[in-house]
Amino acid sequence: MEGKYYLVPNDYMADPSVHVWNGKLYIYPSHDRESGIEENDNGDHFDMCDYHVFSTDDLEAVVNGEKTLEDHGVILSVADIPWAGRQLWDCDVQEKDGKYYMYFPLKDRNDIFRFGVAVADRPEGPFIPQPDPMRGSYSIDVAVLKDDVPGKEGKPDYYFYFGGIWGGQLQRYCDNKALENAHLPEGDEPALPSRVARLSDDMLQFAEEPQPVMVVDADGNPLKANDPHRFFEASWVHKYNGRYYLSYSTGDTHLICYATSDNPYGPFTYQGVILTPVKAGWTTHHCIVEFKGKWYLFHHDSVPSGKTWLRSLKVCELHHNEDGTIDTIEG
């Protein structure tokens, strides 16, 4: 596969999370729509209200135009969720013991982002939401790593990465407690980090207090708020040759960057840029997955619509080098 390909040309999908189960690739994106809400820095115009899931057993045939993704339809909507307010943003799904757990951010009726969980017997759903949000949850942009640890075969740990600033509300919290006044670091202050917590055995709650995920430079110093490569939103973690790769969006500097660690909690040492700014769209949100021996970067841009809030799902190949670095892809 050379170049980048739009995967759902007849609808607006973004913020993908992608997994491989039962020999198939499953894509769980946000579902953009024309909300009629004026564009602003809080993202109120991203008023998504449901999720679809797409699957294929042959991604190469899809990008070559020989097949299309199978759309399994709506698998969860705001109307299904008992505690719902508005804005059903990005999600992720993980499997444990034959059950599938969808994690999603949603504003409650006080307009505060929380994370909810919905459960299904199949990766294509339907997903049944729990009656309440996860205790102690806040902010947006979830990615759940299933970590098969050597010596614990068959008993993986699950790590829940999350956080986004500005509309993602991360700046409203410190040490997992709400602040009376939000604080955004500036200048030479350390950048605001994302968060991680191991999940409970039942996959429905945090098993521990969320911890900061520090991205540091080669000397071990946290990246500063004015560094164009600092974290903003859209955490994703994959493993390659036993190392943990944290990738993320830098938001207003429009990059996808990555950092590596020997520990799922970090600190993660900054390594470089995976994706340069896309040609249309304020920023992008991605995931990285291996399928049939190849690695792929899924992301989005706004080229087809020309509107930052109507985004289109894309895919391209991603290449790890022998030294573990990742080749930069031009947006």
Side-chain angles (χ1 to χ4, degrees), residues 6 12-14 32 39 46 278-284 299-314 331:
Y6 291 106
Y12 296 113
M13 301 285 168
D32 286 355
E39 187 173 7
F46 292 104
V278 295
K279 292 181 175 60
W282 185 77
T283 184
T284 193
H299 60 295
H300 64 246
D301 67 23
S302 299
V303 169
S305 73
K307 299 177 179 180
T308 59
W309 60 92
L310 295 177
R311 300 163 295 174
S312 294
L313 186 65
K314 302 180 77 174

Side-chain angles (χ1 to χ4, degrees), residues 189-325:
E189 291 183 89
L192 197 62
S194 59
R195 304 286 190 267
V196 61
R198 187 169 48 82
L199 285 171
S200 58
D201 287 343
D202 65 6
M203 302 289 282
L204 301 179
Q205 303 291 342
F206 296 146
E208 58 191 3
E209 286 283 311
Q211 303 177 34
V213 181
M214 301 307 301
V215 179
V216 301
D217 63 21
D219 296 321
N221 301 308
L223 297 193
K224 297 175 181 179
N226 59 7
D227 190 316
H229 308 116
R230 55 82 179 98
F231 168 82
F232 185 95
E233 62 186 6
S235 300
W236 184 263
V237 177
H238 74 279
K239 290 183 77 173
Y240 182 77
N241 287 346
R243 286 184 66 75
Y244 299 88
Y245 284 67
L246 169 71
S247 47
Y248 55 90
S249 170
T250 63
D252 54 344
T253 58
H254 315 304
L255 304 169
I256 296 294
C257 293
Y258 76 106
T260 59
S261 179
D262 293 323
N263 191 311
Y265 293 102
F268 288 83
T269 303
Y270 176 78
Q271 300 293 341
V273 174
I274 293 177
L275 183 68
T276 63
V278 295
K279 292 181 175 60
W282 185 77
T283 184
T284 193
H285 183 136
H286 72 295
C287 69
I288 295 169
V289 67
E290 184 183 17
F291 184 53
K292 297 188 175 180
K294 293 184 178 180
W295 287 89
Y296 297 95
L297 176 76
F298 290 81
H299 60 295
H300 64 246
D301 67 23
S302 299
V303 169
S305 73
K307 299 177 179 180
T308 59
W309 60 92
L310 295 177
R311 300 163 295 174
S312 294
L313 186 65
K314 302 180 77 174
V315 66
C316 60
E317 277 196 53
L318 177 140
H319 298 283
H320 298 84
N321 299 308
E322 288 188 10
D323 62 359
T325 58

Side-chain angles (χ1 to χ4, degrees), residues 32-303:
D32 286 355
R33 68 188 183 98
E34 188 68 82
S35 67
I37 299 171
E38 186 175 351
E39 187 173 7
N40 59 52
D41 285 344
N42 285 326
D44 290 317
H45 49 298
F46 292 104
D47 192 27
M48 295 90 92
C49 59
D50 62 31
Y51 296 122
H52 287 233
V53 60
F54 301 86
S55 69
T56 182
D57 59 4
D58 193 340
L59 183 61
E60 296 289 328
V62 170
V63 301
N64 290 334
E66 300 162 5
K67 286 186 174 183
T68 59
L69 293 176
E70 181 176 0
D71 182 356
H72 298 277
V74 174
I75 56 171
L76 183 69
S77 68
V78 168
D80 300 327
I81 301 165
W83 54 274
R86 64 189 180 108
Q87 293 187 291
L88 200 59
W89 285 10
D90 73 292
C91 70
D92 196 11
V93 177
Q94 266 299 354
E95 180 275 337
K96 183 178 181 180
D97 298 333
K99 294 281 188 180
Y100 297 85
Y101 299 84
M102 170 177 277
Y103 302 92
F104 56 89
L106 177 68
K107 283 182 177 174
D108 63 17
R109 288 163 189 165
N110 294 315
D111 232 27
I112 296 171
F113 270 116
R114 311 289 188 193
F115 283 106
V117 188
V119 186
D121 293 323
R122 303 181 303 166
E124 61 268 29
F127 285 83
I128 307 302
Q130 297 293 295
D132 299 296
M134 298 173 70
R135 293 187 296 273
S137 64
Y138 56 93
S139 198
I140 62 165
D141 284 7
V142 54
V144 179
L145 173 69
K146 181 179 182 178
D147 190 17
D148 290 300
V149 182
K152 292 180 63 178
E153 284 76 8
K155 295 183 179 180
D157 290 321
Y158 293 81
Y159 294 96
F160 188 106
Y161 296 85
F162 68 97
I165 64 175
W166 292 8
Q169 302 183 345
L170 189 59
Q171 70 276 9
R172 299 187 187 184
Y173 293 84
C174 181
D175 297 329
N176 304 313
K177 296 179 176 59
L179 296 170
E180 186 172 343
N181 297 299
H183 174 68
L184 268 175
E186 297 179 350
D188 288 339
E189 291 183 89
L192 197 62
S194 59
R195 304 286 190 267
V196 61
R198 187 169 48 82
L199 285 171
S200 58
D201 287 343
D202 65 6
M203 302 289 282
L204 301 179
Q205 303 291 342
F206 296 146
E208 58 191 3
E209 286 283 311
Q211 303 177 34
V213 181
M214 301 307 301
V215 179
V216 301
D217 63 21
D219 296 321
N221 301 308
L223 297 193
K224 297 175 181 179
N226 59 7
D227 190 316
H229 308 116
R230 55 82 179 98
F231 168 82
F232 185 95
E233 62 186 6
S235 300
W236 184 263
V237 177
H238 74 279
K239 290 183 77 173
Y240 182 77
N241 287 346
R243 286 184 66 75
Y244 299 88
Y245 284 67
L246 169 71
S247 47
Y248 55 90
S249 170
T250 63
D252 54 344
T253 58
H254 315 304
L255 304 169
I256 296 294
C257 293
Y258 76 106
T260 59
S261 179
D262 293 323
N263 191 311
Y265 293 102
F268 288 83
T269 303
Y270 176 78
Q271 300 293 341
V273 174
I274 293 177
L275 183 68
T276 63
V278 295
K279 292 181 175 60
W282 185 77
T283 184
T284 193
H285 183 136
H286 72 295
C287 69
I288 295 169
V289 67
E290 184 183 17
F291 184 53
K292 297 188 175 180
K294 293 184 178 180
W295 287 89
Y296 297 95
L297 176 76
F298 290 81
H299 60 295
H300 64 246
D301 67 23
S302 299
V303 169

